[in-house]
């Protein structure tokens, strides 16, 4: 593997491939998760959230373990997958959770095989739970929330529920799990769930 | 990175580095990130902007470094203000086999960056709670624990406390238990500057 120098941003390389390990500006690091096995081979994997160059989104860098050796293999950059702002405000929050708890009622068992990517910009919240598949990352669940309205989509179960501020509650067809794509939270979300800041 | 540039990072305050070239690192060396906290817990310089701690494998691959970045009070932008070399040892073989984990997270005491190495298999754990300061970061507390033989629980075998928040006139203390069970208590003196310290300065029972 060779390293490429991306001094300030990842986005200056449109799509860093899996054999090029990006150089990260340390101050652009937002969150990291490790210690969980997301590809089911018994070894821990790793995920980093990094501010994009425009500062309006987070990129995700993923490392998946090699089943035979346990060593981590860089699997690429998923660009602009969550809203962000830079410089961040004190009320903002972003994290990579170790498990999916969306729609998890008391007594349910958290799913540690899926990382949840979490961003709160001002009063707008979005969490994307992703799953690693043979063809890459796909979206398993999404939750968006703003000004008291709430939307939860479980693509694996095929259900979506929207709860508006006026207590109107209805379900929509989620469709199959989509691939994780840049700015999916702006363009791929069902319109009823687009509480996240637009472009 | 040249020695002179690193020296500048270590010595200059955050504001003076705002226009400096960014400190970069290969993504696969990053082990842990303690970034934004919702209630401002990681505002170590008290300017209402969040600061940052990053744990990473050293360039030589045999130890772990801690990068501290603090915010500029005016712009909120962060700059790397300290790089603490060899704060923990690194063992890539044990990491690959799943035997060891590293991270940096908020400590219970004051939400300062706590770096730790742990093994779920052996229950061994060493943690170092740091004390980020503009004048040079220090150490609050070091603790190591090991599995009690024949049980599935751990016991603390080393504890060195340099700072106790809210305790006026606090005297640093240390208690170290040797493998033969001999217990040694002593005053470790004032906390060291992290820039002058690395994990090999630990008493043997405290080493991860």
């Amino acid at each position: 593997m060779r390293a490429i120098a991306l001094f300030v941003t990842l986005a200056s390389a449109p799509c860093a491939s899996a054999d090029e390990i990006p150089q990260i500006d340390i101050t652009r690091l937002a969150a990291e998760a490790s210690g969980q096995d997301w590809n089911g081979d018994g070894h821990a994997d790793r995920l980093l959230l990094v501010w994009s160059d425009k500062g309006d989104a987070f990129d995700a860098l993923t490392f998946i373990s090699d089943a035979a050796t346990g060593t981590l293999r860089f699997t690429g950059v998923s660009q602009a997958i969550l809203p962000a702002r830079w410089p961040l405000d004190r009320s903002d929050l972003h994290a990579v959770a170790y498990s999916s708890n969306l729609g998890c009622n008391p007594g349910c068992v958290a799913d540690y095989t899926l990382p949840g990517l979490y961003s709160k910009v001002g009063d707008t919240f979005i969490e994307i739970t992703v799953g690693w598949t043979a063809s890459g990352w796909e979206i398993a669940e999404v939750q968006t929330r703003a000004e008291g309205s709430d939307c939860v989509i479980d693509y694996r179960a095929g259900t979506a529920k929207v709860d508006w501020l006026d207590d109107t509650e209805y379900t929509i067809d989620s469709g199959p799990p989509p691939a994780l794509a840049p700015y999916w939270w702006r363009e791929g979300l069902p319109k009823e769930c687009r509480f996240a800041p637009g472009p | 990175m040249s020695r002179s540039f690193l020296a500048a990072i270590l010595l200059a305050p955050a504001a003076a580095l705002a226009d400096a070239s960014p400190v970069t690192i290969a993504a696969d060396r990053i082990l842990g990130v303690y970034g934004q906290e919702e209630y401002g817990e990681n505002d170590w310089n008290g300017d209402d902007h969040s600061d940052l701690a990053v744990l990473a494998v050293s360039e030589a691959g045999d130890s772990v470094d801690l990068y501290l970045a603090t915010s500029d009070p005016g712009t909120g932008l962060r700059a790397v203000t300290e790089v603490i070399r060899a704060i923990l040892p690194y063992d890539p073989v044990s990491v690959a086999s799943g035997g060891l984990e590293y991270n940096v997270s908020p400590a219970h005491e004051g939400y300062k960056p706590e770096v730790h190495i742990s093994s779920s298999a052996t229950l061994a754990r060493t943690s170092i709670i740091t004390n980020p300061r503009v004048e040079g970061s220090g150490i609050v507390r070091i603790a190591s624990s090991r599995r009690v033989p024949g049980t599935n629980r751990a016991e603390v075998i080393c504890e060195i406390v340099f700072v106790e928040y809210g305790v006026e006139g606090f005297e640093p203390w240390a208690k170290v238990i040797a493998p033969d069970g001999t217990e040694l208590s002593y005053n470790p003196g004032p906390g060291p500057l992290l820039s002058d310290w690395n994990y090999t300065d630990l008493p043997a029972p405290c080493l991860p």
Side-chain angles (χ1 to χ4, degrees), chain A residues 40-53:
Chain A
D41 67 352
H43 300 292
D45 307 303
R46 188 175 299 162
L47 196 154
L48 302 173
L49 271 189
V50 181
W51 267 279
S52 66
D53 63 337

Side-chain angles (χ1 to χ4, degrees), chain B residues 73-121:
Chain B
T75 64
L77 293 173
R78 303 187 286 206
V80 175
T81 43
E82 274 192 276
V83 183
I84 296 109
R85 301 296 184 196
I87 195 166
L88 286 171
Y90 186 72
D91 176 1
V93 176
S94 294
V95 170
S97 68
L100 281 180
E101 287 180 19
Y102 297 82
N103 217 328
V104 55
S105 55
H108 288 300
E109 293 125 352
Y111 306 107
K112 307 290 185 185
E114 175 179 349
V115 300
H116 44 90
I117 175 173
S118 60
S119 164
S120 53

Side-chain angles (χ1 to χ4, degrees), chain A residues 7-8 21-27 29-32 34-35 43 46 48 51 61 63 69-71 86-90 92-94 98 120, chain B residues 22-28 30-33 35-40 43 48 50 52 54 67 69 75-80 96 101-103:
Chain A
F7 286 102
V8 180
I21 297 175
Q23 292 281 326
I24 304 293
D25 172 355
I26 281 179
T27 62
L29 279 163
E32 176 269 350
S34 58
H43 300 292
R46 188 175 299 162
L48 302 173
W51 267 279
L61 283 73
F63 299 84
T69 65
T71 54
W86 177 267
L88 69 171
D89 187 86
R90 187 168 171 161
D92 298 342
L93 182 63
H94 36 75
Y98 294 95
K120 177 175 165 288
Chain B
V23 177
T24 62
I25 188 170
D28 61 343
I30 296 163
L31 296 169
V33 177
Q36 175 79 330
E37 292 293 306
E38 191 165 17
Y39 301 106
D43 179 15
D48 275 350
S50 70
L52 172 74
V54 174
Y67 294 77
T75 64
L77 293 173
R78 303 187 286 206
V80 175
E101 287 180 19
Y102 297 82
N103 217 328

Side-chain angles (χ1 to χ4, degrees), chain A residues 36-115:
Chain A
Q36 300 298 328
D37 176 18
W38 297 319
N39 62 345
D41 67 352
H43 300 292
D45 307 303
R46 188 175 299 162
L47 196 154
L48 302 173
L49 271 189
V50 181
W51 267 279
S52 66
D53 63 337
K54 290 181 181 172
D56 65 345
F58 288 122
D59 300 332
L61 283 73
T62 53
F63 299 84
I64 295 296
S65 57
D66 177 85
T69 65
T71 54
L72 288 173
R73 178 173 57 89
F74 178 54
T75 47
V77 181
S78 300
Q79 291 184 325
I81 61 164
L82 278 175
R85 68 174 151 194
W86 177 267
L88 69 171
D89 187 86
R90 187 168 171 161
S91 64
D92 298 342
L93 182 63
H94 36 75
V96 185
Y98 294 95
S99 65
S100 165
N101 284 309
L102 291 182
C104 195
N105 296 314
C108 75
V109 177
D111 185 349
Y112 287 98
T113 63
L114 301 174

Side-chain angles (χ1 to χ4, degrees), chain B residues 75-166:
Chain B
T75 64
L77 293 173
R78 303 187 286 206
V80 175
T81 43
E82 274 192 276
V83 183
I84 296 109
R85 301 296 184 196
I87 195 166
L88 286 171
Y90 186 72
D91 176 1
V93 176
S94 294
V95 170
S97 68
L100 281 180
E101 287 180 19
Y102 297 82
N103 217 328
V104 55
S105 55
H108 288 300
E109 293 125 352
Y111 306 107
K112 307 290 185 185
E114 175 179 349
V115 300
H116 44 90
I117 175 173
S118 60
S119 164
S120 53
T122 68
L123 303 185
R125 176 185 166 92
T126 294
S127 68
I128 301 168
I129 300 175
T130 65
N131 192 17
R133 293 176 301 203
V134 174
E135 64 270 27
S137 299
I139 298 176
V140 173
R141 175 192 296 258
I142 299 167
S144 293
S145 53
R146 295 284 183 275
R147 184 199 299 269
V148 177
T151 76
N152 200 30
R153 65 183 178 84
E155 65 176 350
V156 176
I157 55 166
C158 162
E159 194 163 16
I160 304 171
V161 183
F162 294 108
V163 178
E164 191 76 82
Y165 289 106

